[in-house]
């Protein structure tokens, strides 16, 4: 990927990040240590070898489906309470170094039960890390639980139930994540409707690899307040206005979209058009490790490629503070 400088002005600003996956945002050094502690077999025994397994490298005809394979690797390192607490804590530490003052962290708790942890234990462990992080660093945070496309409906309902159970203990909402091209939103309508009935905040990965209709279903049928990615909206300009009027915010993750080949390049990325047409855009990193990025880099790319001013940057940061589920 093209390396773009991080602008000091961007680094200095207080920032909010809404779309960040825990399992895509580990430190390589921590993965090595967890591998040692938990006897996880890894290729080589150094960060360079590890990097090859879980950091995107330029590849032709890459797809979201292939991209998601990186997570199957990182998930091996997130199967104990210790690992979940530590990585959540370190993520807040890393974010605080960039002046991120508010961060919503998301993950799919069902994927962390290989060693027999209950869903409650998984969520507790991550919340412990988040609470410790909030205590030690100048940052507010909350947890979004992801329903995963491809998993059985019963498991989706369990995520909604546990999000409801933990709503006053650090869980701030639910998401639908995973492979949109293989598992359309329609399949998860029922659990998401129930989440809405329970009054849970809903964000949905939609219009990432899928069509604009997925965004409409998410917003108009399922009451999503935010859309993960949502870049397909560029094909329906009037919808950009409609969503802005409804205060539905887009969590756009530019680098991630280029890596999964839904956008050809930064210059071709629809974020600028959506922003210019009045969309409530926020800029996010999606996955710090897997995409080798962070929010400061992503915001800097908006200046570099689209000549956004620092006021534009401040505006999209404010959009993120305004749309946060953290109260
Ligand atoms: Zn995502």
């Amino acid at each position: 990927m093209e390396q773009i400088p991080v602008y000091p002005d961007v680094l200095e600003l207080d920032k909010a990040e809404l779309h960040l996956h825990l399992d895509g945002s580990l430190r390589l050094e921590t993965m090595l240590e967890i591998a040692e502690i938990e006897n996880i077999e890894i290729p080589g025994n150094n960060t360079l070898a590890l990097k090859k397994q879980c950091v995107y490298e330029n590849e032709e005809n890459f797809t979201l489906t292939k991209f998601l394979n990186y997570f199957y690797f990182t998930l091996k390192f997130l199967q104990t309470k210790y690992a979940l607490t530590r990585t959540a804590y370190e993520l807040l530490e890393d974010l605080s170094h960039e002046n991120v003052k508010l961060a919503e962290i998301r993950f799919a708790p069902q994927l962390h039960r290989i060693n027999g942890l209950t869903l409650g234990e998984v969520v507790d462990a991550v919340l412990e890390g988040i609470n410790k992080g909030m205590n030690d660093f100048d940052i507010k945070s909350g947890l979004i639980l992801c329903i995963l496309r491809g998993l059985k409906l019963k498991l989706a309902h369990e995520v909604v139930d546990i999000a409801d159970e933990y709503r006053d203990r650090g869980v701030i909402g639910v998401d639908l994540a995973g492979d949109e091209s293989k598992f359309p939103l329609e399949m998860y309508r029922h659990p998401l409707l129930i989440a809405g009935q329970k009054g849970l905040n809903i964000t949905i990965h939609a219009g990432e690899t899928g069509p604009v209709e997925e965004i409409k279903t998410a917003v108009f049928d399922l009451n999503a307040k935010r859309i993960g990615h949502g870049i397909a909206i560029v094909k329906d300009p009037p919808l950009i206005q409609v969503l802005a009027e409804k205060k539905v915010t887009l969590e756009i993750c530019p680098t991630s979209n280029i890596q999964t080949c839904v956008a050809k390049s930064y210059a071709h990325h629809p974020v600028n058009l959506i922003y210019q047409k009045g969309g409530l855009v926020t800029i996010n990193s999606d996955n710090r490790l897997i995409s080798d990025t962070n929010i400061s880099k992503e915001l800097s790319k908006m200046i570099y490629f689209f000549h956004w001013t620092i006021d534009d940057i401040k505006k999209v940061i404010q959009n993120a503070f305004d749309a946060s589920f953290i109260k």
Side-chain angles (χ1 to χ4, degrees), residues 19 21 205 229 286:
H19 193 120
H21 294 263
H205 282 71
H229 299 281
D286 211 7

Side-chain angles (χ1 to χ4, degrees), residues 21 23 68 71-72 74-80 84 107-115 117 119 122 146-151 155 159 177-178:
H21 294 263
D23 43 335
L68 293 174
F71 292 92
Y72 289 104
T74 60
L75 280 167
K76 289 186 208 168
F77 301 80
L78 291 169
Q79 298 300 333
T80 61
L84 289 164
F107 83 128
Q110 305 278 9
L111 300 180
H112 303 267
R113 304 187 58 199
I114 290 170
N115 291 347
L117 293 179
L119 217 48
V122 170
C146 305
I147 297 170
L148 202 69
R149 296 174 195 264
L151 293 190
L155 300 182
V159 171

